[in-house]
Amino acid sequence: MPDTRPKLLIVEDDIGLQRQLRWAYDGYQLFIAGDRAEALEILRTEEPPVVTLDLGLPPDPDGISEGMAVLAQILTERPGTKVIVASGHGDRASARRAIAEGAWDFYQKPIDIDSLGHIVGRAFHVHALEEENRRLAEAAPADGRVLGRMITAAPEMLKVARMIERVANANVAVMLLGASGTGKELLAKGVHETSDRASGPFVAINCAAIPETLLESELFGHEKGAFTGAVKTTIGKIEQAEGGTLFLDEVGDIPLPLQVKLLRFLQERVIERIGGRQPIPVDTRIVCATHQNLDEMIAEQRFREDLYYRLAEIVVRIPTLAERAGDAVLLARHFVSKFARDLNPQVKGLANDAIAAIDAWSWPGNVRELENRVKRAVILADAKLVSAADLDLDAGEEVEEVVVNLRAVREAADQQAIRRAIARADGNVSSAARMLGVSRPTLYDLMKTYNLG
Ligand SMILES: Nc1ncnc2c1ncn2[C@@H]1O[C@H](COP(=O)(O)OP(=O)(O)OP(=O)(O)O)[C@@H](O)[C@H]1O
């Protein structure tokens, strides 16, 4: 029977330690290398996701030069590998340097098998999660699903995408509620492109960005001579979206008199251009969005309740980026490769301190803020990896700080992987444990720790 246990490479030149480690890890397929050549050969043939690396290797067993060289080569050849370095007792400077060069974590000698086992276990979880994220991100555009352009692995957001797919073809008005930058316009396009109107136009208008005096003409159009300056007949956005979808962004900013006119269109499906005398039938689907509290506006009579019910046949609430565990890092990777391609091809990815900082940041401006920060960072970066400083985010200079942040990253990743595996196994803990590569009791412990299930 093929061995399906996860592969762990241990790079260690001390024969005694090799033996000790061999016994400690019966949950993994172990590969042991005593020097650089052996390590690289195993890396290439077995592709282990996780490597523990002693920095003191021959020909420099008392220094770290050989260990650092092996680290660099592993990360060049297989950048996704999680390398955990072993540093000598009290040698924090080496650990710090190795982390700055891309190691995932470190442990200090003498080895404590339990805590090292814990670090290794988490490294496998994070690696599996990243692989799946990468697969999802890569698969999305290829599989042709319209909402495939939305990048997410968070259950909260996948639920939103599924809901959009379900309502796309029911000809109902959809209202998207979410903070600024959460992806409302992208989802509105998703509604359009998944619907049977996809071959028609998608027209967007931001009602907050247009002065009140011009909004009516923008929406409904005007006839030549309707007002001073109306030198030619112009059709409005509603008509432009004939046969397609009109996205009314910031619908809460439409002034009351115009709300009446919009309501009439929604009830009768005809419009009148300013200065026009003919009602014109228009077949346009409305998707709208706002970040305002419409209930409050209705109570204060600033928004018409009858219009609200016409616009909000289906209400979709979009979670903030902070509520979608793991998505900030996933999106950041996507934006790094997108912007690096166009703006700075030497940039290859995110440094560990950047990943920790992205995960720790609260993203008040949501995906838009993330996109802008990553874009600027890619332009400014002068190394291969974008750092927390390039992103203008606090990284914390001490290794201790990074470790705390990495732990937070890992815990978030754990929770997400567990939730997903349990969902996929339809609540069966044994098969979820098999998927995650841990024993059933371990999974129960983790579920208890994270309050899942
Ligand atoms: N899940 C996602 N995957 C990929 N890109 C995204 C995602 N969500 C948002 N974006 C990108 O982030 C930017 C902001 O998104 P969008 O304009 O849809 O947000 P919004 O909620 O309409 O913002 P606002 O309320 O400020 O108008 C866009 O460039 C969009 O393409």
Side-chain angles (χ1 to χ4, degrees):
M1 216 168 78
D3 191 343
T4 54
R5 291 172 305 167
K7 293 177 178 179
L8 172 64
L9 167 61
I10 293 175
V11 189
E12 170 63 65
D13 62 328
D14 180 321
I15 306 282
L17 273 180
Q18 282 185 2
R19 198 170 310 124
Q20 197 185 341
L21 289 167
R22 206 185 281 279
W23 289 113
Y25 293 114
D26 57 351
Y28 303 109
Q29 274 186 77
L30 276 200
F31 298 90
I32 299 201
D35 59 26
R36 185 194 312 208
E38 280 174 13
L40 293 177
E41 195 189 321
I42 294 169
L43 185 81
R44 288 170 197 145
T45 52
E46 301 296 338
E47 305 183 345
V50 180
V51 176
T52 71
L53 171 66
D54 181 12
L55 288 176
L57 289 175
D60 182 19
D62 299 321
I64 62 164
S65 63
E66 182 67 6
M68 293 299 285
V70 176
L71 173 66
Q73 209 154 344
I74 292 175
L75 293 178
T76 308
E77 290 193 24
R78 301 198 56 80
T81 311
K82 300 276 166 263
V83 184
I84 302 159
V85 297
S87 69
H89 183 61
D91 184 11
R92 286 194 161 250
S94 307
R96 191 175 293 154
R97 227 188 94 189
I99 292 217
E101 302 278 318
W104 187 70
D105 206 343
F106 74 98
Y107 65 96
Q108 284 195 312
K109 289 185 169 178
I111 291 177
D112 168 12
I113 293 288
D114 282 346
S115 52
L116 178 57
H118 212 57
I119 298 175
V120 168
R122 297 285 171 90
F124 274 106
H125 283 328
V126 174
H127 184 274
L129 187 74
E130 286 180 354
E131 277 301 298
E132 174 145 22
N133 283 347
R134 195 166 306 139
R135 200 180 49 73
L136 282 175
E138 280 166 8
D143 68 9
R145 280 183 309 134
V146 197
L147 288 183
R149 75 159 87 179
M150 293 268 345
I151 293 180
T152 184
E156 299 82 1
M157 201 61 194
L158 292 169
K159 219 165 84 187
V160 167
R162 273 200 298 275
M163 181 151 172
I164 298 272
E165 280 171 343
R166 272 206 304 275
V167 301
N169 266 328
N171 203 3
V172 290
V174 176
M175 178 177 280
L176 304 168
L177 296 181
S180 182
T182 45
K184 297 189 290 294
E185 179 155 355
L186 205 61
L187 283 166
K189 277 193 192 133
V191 174
H192 172 69
E193 288 169 3
T194 320
S195 75
D196 49 17
R197 297 173 165 264
S199 58
F202 174 83
V203 178
I205 176 167
N206 184 339
C207 304
I210 296 169
E212 261 186 58
T213 46
L214 299 183
L215 192 55
E216 181 175 4
S217 162
E218 279 291 316
L219 281 172
F220 294 89
H222 60 256
E223 296 290 343
K224 182 177 172 184
F227 48 82
T228 327
V231 288
K232 60 177 172 56
T233 297
T234 305
I235 65 166
K237 300 280 186 194
I238 298 179
E239 263 186 273
Q240 286 173 27
E242 165 70 37
T245 308
L246 175 68
F247 175 49
L248 284 177
D249 200 0
E250 298 309 350
V251 73
D253 285 62
I254 296 186
L256 276 167
L258 214 48
Q259 290 181 24
V260 179
K261 202 164 169 181
L262 185 61
L263 178 65
R264 187 170 160 230
F265 161 65
L266 289 171
Q267 285 168 337
E268 296 167 23
R269 296 289 159 181
V270 293
I271 58 147
E272 254 170 55
R273 297 180 191 145
I274 303 175
R277 285 185 208 105
Q278 289 293 327
I280 304 166
V282 184
D283 171 26
T284 296
R285 181 195 198 159
I286 302 280
V287 176
C288 70
T290 180
H291 71 277
Q292 306 217 47
N293 185 335
L294 289 184
D295 289 339
E296 228 172 75
M297 291 182 70
I298 291 168
E300 292 163 5
Q301 303 198 331
R302 288 187 293 130
F303 201 85
R304 293 185 64 111
E305 193 170 12
D306 44 8
L307 176 61
Y308 173 83
Y309 287 114
R310 285 280 169 174
L311 289 171
E313 288 171 318
I314 298 281
V315 177
V316 180
R317 281 171 217 285
I318 307 169
T320 62
L321 184 53
E323 286 165 338
R324 309 176 206 167
D327 262 13
V329 172
L330 184 66
L331 278 159
R333 284 190 207 284
H334 160 77
F335 289 132
V336 166
S337 44
K338 175 175 146 193
F339 292 127
R341 225 175 11 245
D342 300 339
L343 302 171
N344 189 355
Q346 68 146 350
V347 169
K348 300 290 177 224
L350 292 162
N352 277 344
D353 73 337
I355 292 177
I358 287 167
D359 210 61
W361 185 237
S362 60
W363 300 108
N366 295 293
V367 186
R368 186 185 304 288
E369 178 190 355
L370 179 76
E371 187 175 20
N372 290 343
R373 270 187 200 267
V374 171
K375 184 173 183 181
R376 199 191 45 196
V378 167
I379 294 170
L380 293 179
D382 47 19
K384 277 191 184 165
L385 299 180
V386 168
S387 68
D390 294 331
L391 288 162
D392 204 11
L393 292 174
D394 282 340
E397 292 198 334
E398 293 301 305
V399 166
E400 282 86 340
E401 188 62 32
V402 173
V403 170
V404 171
N405 283 338
L406 285 173
R407 188 176 310 132
V409 173
R410 276 184 239 136
E411 284 178 3
D414 271 4
Q415 290 185 35
Q416 220 187 342
I418 292 168
R419 270 198 296 189
R420 193 161 333 122
I422 289 174
R424 206 176 281 176
D426 213 9
N428 183 322
V429 177
S430 302
S431 61
R434 262 196 309 280
M435 264 181 229
L436 291 163
V438 297
S439 69
R440 209 164 58 100
T442 306
L443 181 53
Y444 271 122
D445 282 350
L446 286 166
M447 286 166 66
K448 214 160 105 196
T449 311
Y450 295 130
N451 231 341
L452 299 169

